[in-house]
């Protein structure tokens, strides 16, 4: 079977849209990053003596926990944005609604991510 790709496209490793490979790799990298972060979150929360507001606030005010929680939120929302973009591109046929949905997902992921990071910082830096 003959190969229809040009030598330049084989070297660069880009698809027809010139961005699919980067999207693919970022989705895989954020997925790999989320594995230890989700395990950390699960074991850390399970090890808490109680689940009341004061215990969570004290736990989240520790620098290591707040930094890892911020990393978890950034990776999680970015990974969700990438995944939802693929679903939208695959299942919404019309160009206009697809573009509006992708813009909406981007804004929602950014807004939720910023809100989450602000919340963690507010709890962590509260006196």
């Amino acid at each position: 079977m003959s190969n229809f790709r040009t030598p330049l496209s084989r070297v660069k490793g880009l698809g027809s849209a010139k961005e699919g490979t980067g999207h693919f790799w970022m989705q895989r990298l954020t997925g790999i990053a989320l594995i230890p972060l989700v395990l950390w979150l699960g074991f850390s929360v399970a090890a808490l003596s109680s689940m009341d507001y004061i215990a969570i606030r004290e736990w989240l005010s520790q620098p290591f926990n707040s930094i890892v929680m911020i990393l978890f939120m950034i990776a999680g929302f970015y990974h969700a944005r990438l995944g939802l973009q693929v679903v939208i591109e695959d299942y919404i046929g019309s160009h206009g609604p697809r573009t509006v949905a992708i813009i909406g997902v981007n804004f929602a992921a950014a807004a939720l991510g910023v809100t989450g990071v602000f919340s963690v910082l507010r709890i962590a830096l509260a006196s």
Side-chain angles (χ1 to χ4, degrees):
M1 174 147 189
S2 62
N3 189 356
F4 295 106
R5 295 180 66 184
T6 65
L8 180 61
S9 70
R10 282 194 299 271
V11 169
K12 286 186 172 183
L14 300 173
S16 62
K18 309 292 187 269
E19 64 182 44
T21 304
H23 187 100
F24 172 85
W25 278 107
M26 286 308 297
Q27 196 169 19
R28 290 337 179 248
L29 290 175
T30 55
I32 290 169
L34 282 169
I35 293 170
L37 292 171
V38 167
L39 290 173
W40 162 83
L41 182 63
F43 285 116
S44 295
V45 170
L48 289 174
S49 59
S50 65
M51 293 296 288
D52 61 346
Y53 175 74
I54 301 298
I56 298 293
R57 194 175 83 186
E58 288 175 4
W59 172 76
L60 204 51
S61 66
Q62 297 172 2
F64 178 78
N65 290 336
S66 59
I67 289 170
V68 178
M69 180 62 83
I70 289 171
L71 290 174
F72 170 73
M73 281 197 252
I74 291 170
F77 283 116
Y78 189 63
H79 184 77
R81 185 194 72 81
L82 292 171
L84 287 170
Q85 180 180 340
V86 170
V87 170
I88 290 167
E89 289 170 349
D90 287 347
Y91 292 106
I92 297 180
S94 301
H95 182 69
R98 181 175 53 230
T99 302
V100 170
I102 290 173
I103 290 171
V105 164
N106 288 338
F107 279 129
L112 291 171
V114 168
T115 302
V117 169
F118 174 76
S119 300
V120 170
L121 289 175
R122 184 166 179 187
I123 292 170
L125 301 176
S127 54

